[in-house]
């Protein structure tokens, strides 16, 4: 079984992702395809990269991840493919790959990136408005079918990078930011819980509110209360118990979070 | 082929359900996964239980149904798994299982329920905020792979129950309630059509409106007209032909429906 | 591997399409099912037919396409199935099939259409409100499993047709219309780019705006600018670079587009 995931900002309205699956099954009929999400906000490369980054570690070795959030479709931006350790990626060269690439580099994994410049792996006709169907889907399918990455394009070492904002050290802790808001209105920061010396002895400030302590789970506070917890990837998360922190306190992506380590 | 369904309130925005599928395929690569819905309103356990209840009878014997509508994630509420006749369920012990359990009891089916208290069937690290990924998905995958239910946890006999409201007998018929509103605005009641002695000789009152007779299909009345029909599970449904009854008459879940058997 | 696609206006809220998949897997457990879209606007047969039409050419030979946009469910409108060249279709006889049928006729493909009038291929109980589950899903599954189309119903030659509006010749070019608006707000017309003699020497008028020339890709104009490009099926498309033409200029389905060939 060959696993392929798809992450896009195409929505589920027009059948674009269904069409990509038709292309994939034409090339490799025994693929197993998983949708990560197709509801990335239009052309929001960073949110797309985070959604994929959070899902990748849970997939089997050899999985091919196709991601298309591609404001530059039809321009000279390169289509690329990469092998980062035991996972494959097929996506536009616009920074989408950054968090996965940084993790692979930090872990000392084997890294190969190619410019997908060989039209024999594309569909015969390529429209400038839908490389997801005409380039990324067929290239991902060929990879899943067993074509060697190195045979699919020219090796490059200068992929476009768009690093996520990193929390910065402050006098008494960290200046962090909200980088993910989920469907429940839970707001994840870019600060790892492992960077916090004592969860109970930590004060957080966001949106004019003060939160005392990072608790083990939502259930440790009453419904409606604003809490800090560990999110599902190990980052500090701001949430309202059985409610939406984003809605209740008008929290948006990039909003600052002051994390203070109490004396 | 081993079938697994997933029902959640996670939406399709953040890739949570895609991640669950990665976990499943890591454990049982030849599973076939079906999404029931991920658009259950946040933390609405009853609506989640109804969506699953309506889908289950149409799945092959041996299907494993994973359902995660879980306001109590990370608290002491138990993760459970059940075999009800020839179908399996993996879900939080918060009442989600109730309608399937009641049906199995009424039909005299074989019933086994276990508390999923054996960490060897979970992911190695369990975050308090995402048991869907860390407990329910791997346990469901192990069940689909053939692990015996009885080996996955301690047998329990006291699952939390949240029975759906039942229609009550009135002088001249039934006092029923709306329990499902679908995407078209059709409103299903909790009264089975089989409880109505004569469909033509029945009067329904809802939202200040009166409907004469339960007709065989939408097409028996004109577009725009309010009708009563048999819904796709055999319950009495209120609908507007080619329109939305919910929108037109501001009908909401739990709204009362008076069903009068004419003399 | 037997491929089945599903296109509906059911949304993803109530689990209807998950239930259809259960029905299919009960009949043909090794099917591979692809969702085209379930977000067709309620009962909008034309938009449903276009979404399917655009996806079909990318699927493997032998694929069975089930489509359910069905305002007449439960009335006398016929359920039908068709073989158009090497693709199969299972859908209500309300015009949904039209663009695929016209293409097959124009290409001189082999065409067979049957009225699905043999209840042995339906579910044992058919509800008047959900033929997607009770008739179309099982018939599609039987076709995918290898039952001959001609054995599943009575051959008909008079399917209902709802042709898409065609562009009409004008003095200096074409009077076209918007027939697709995608999730990005890009607006496709019914005029093929191949009908335009000189892309650079063409003027388009829509919504009080004038566009000079059809450019090779969005990237040939600045962000925010209104452009004409070739869409992913070879039709003339109106778009705003990195924005939504539909929102910015209040463009709606059927809006007229004047296409003028410059001297």
């Amino acid at each position: 079984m060959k696993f392929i995931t798809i992450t896009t900002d195409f929505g589920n309205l027009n059948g674009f992702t269904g069409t990509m699956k038709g292309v994939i099954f034409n090339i490799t009929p025994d693929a197993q395809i998983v949708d990560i999400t197709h509801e990335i906000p239009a052309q929001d490369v960073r949110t797309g990269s985070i959604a994929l980054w959070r899902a990748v570690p849970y997939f089997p070795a050899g999985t091919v991840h196709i991601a298309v959030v591609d404001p530059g479709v039809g321009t000279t931006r390169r289509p690329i493919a990469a092998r980062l350790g035991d996972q494959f990626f097929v996506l536009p060269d616009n920074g989408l790959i950054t968090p996965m690439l940084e993790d692979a580099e930090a872990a000392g994994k084997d890294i190969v990136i190619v410019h997908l410049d060989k039209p024999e792996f594309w569909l015969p006709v390529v429209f400038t408005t839908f490389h997801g169907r005409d380039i990324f889907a067929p290239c991902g399918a060929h990879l899943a079918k067993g074509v060697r990455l190195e045979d699919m394009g020219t090796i490059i070492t200068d992929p476009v990078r768009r690093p996520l904002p990193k929390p910065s050290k402050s006098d008494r802790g960290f200046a962090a930011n909200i980088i993910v808001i989920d469907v429940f209105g839970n707001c994840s920061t870019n600060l790892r819980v492992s960077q916090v010396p004592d969860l109970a002895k930590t004060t957080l400030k966001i949106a004019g509110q003060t939160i005392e302590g990072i608790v083990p789970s939502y259930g440790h506070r009453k419904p409606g209360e604003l809490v800090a917890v560990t999110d599902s990837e190990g980052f500090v998360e701001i949430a309202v118990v059985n409610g939406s922190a984003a809605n209740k306190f008008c929290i948006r992506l990039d909003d600052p979070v002051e994390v203070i380590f109490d004396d």
Side-chain angles (χ1 to χ4, degrees), chain A:
Chain A
M1 194 61 79
K2 301 135 177 189
F3 296 101
I4 295 175
T5 78
I6 311 182
T7 303
T8 74
D9 62 350
F10 292 168
N12 296 297
L13 180 65
N14 300 92
F16 295 147
T17 56
T19 302
M20 289 174 67
K21 292 174 191 175
V23 170
I24 290 168
F25 285 130
N26 251 316
I27 294 168
T28 176
D30 60 343
Q32 184 62 270
I33 304 174
V34 175
D35 297 299
I36 302 299
T37 173
H38 301 299
E39 298 184 4
I40 300 299
Q43 310 182 332
D44 181 343
V45 172
R46 192 181 87 179
T47 295
S49 71
I50 294 173
L52 183 55
W53 179 48
R54 291 179 155 230
V56 165
Y58 294 91
F59 278 85
T63 298
V64 176
H65 303 280
I66 300 172
V68 192
V69 182
D70 193 11
V73 62
T75 67
T76 57
R77 73 92 191 85
R78 300 175 293 195
I80 61 173
R83 187 176 62 240
L84 306 179
D86 61 9
Q87 305 279 321
F88 293 86
F89 298 84
V90 179
L91 60 200
D93 183 28
N94 61 12
L96 252 185
I97 202 173
T98 310
M100 286 72 76
L101 179 59
E102 288 183 346
D103 275 6
E105 289 170 337
K109 289 184 181 168
D110 186 45
I111 294 170
V112 180
I113 308 177
V114 305
H115 175 196
L116 292 166
D117 52 8
K118 300 198 175 170
E120 61 263 40
F121 297 107
W122 308 348
L123 289 196
V125 177
V126 172
F127 286 84
T128 55
T129 48
F130 196 0
H131 286 187
R133 179 192 65 194
D134 300 339
I135 296 179
F136 297 114
C139 285
H142 283 297
L143 267 180
K145 197 182 178 180
V147 176
R148 286 181 66 240
L149 179 70
E150 292 80 354
D151 293 339
M152 292 187 61
T154 306
I155 288 182
I156 64 166
T157 55
D158 61 343
V160 171
R161 286 166 187 262
R162 286 174 64 150
L164 298 176
K166 305 284 188 296
S168 60
K169 275 260 179 198
S170 66
D171 276 3
R172 305 162 56 198
F174 279 101
N177 295 89
I178 299 299
I179 61 164
V180 176
I181 298 178
D182 77 14
V183 68
F184 300 101
N186 301 327
C187 303
S188 284
T189 70
N190 50 357
L191 185 70
R192 288 181 190 275
V193 170
S194 59
Q195 295 174 281
V196 177
D198 187 336
L199 299 190
K201 294 188 174 174
T202 300
T203 300
L204 299 98
K205 299 197 174 193
I206 179 169
Q209 307 296 312
T210 297
I211 306 170
E212 297 293 347
I214 298 171
V215 294
S217 81
Y218 306 130
H220 283 72
R221 291 284 184 273
K222 291 180 190 155
E225 212 169 303
L226 188 68
V227 296
V229 297
T230 302
D231 82 1
S232 56
E233 315 302 317
F235 290 87
V236 176
E237 174 186 304
I238 311 299
V240 161
V241 180
N242 292 1
S244 167
N247 287 351
K248 187 163 180 181
F249 297 103
C250 294
I251 298 172
R252 304 200 170 193
L253 288 178
D254 295 317
D255 276 5
V257 184
E258 206 179 333
V259 182
I260 302 160
F261 304 150
D262 306 339
D263 299 328

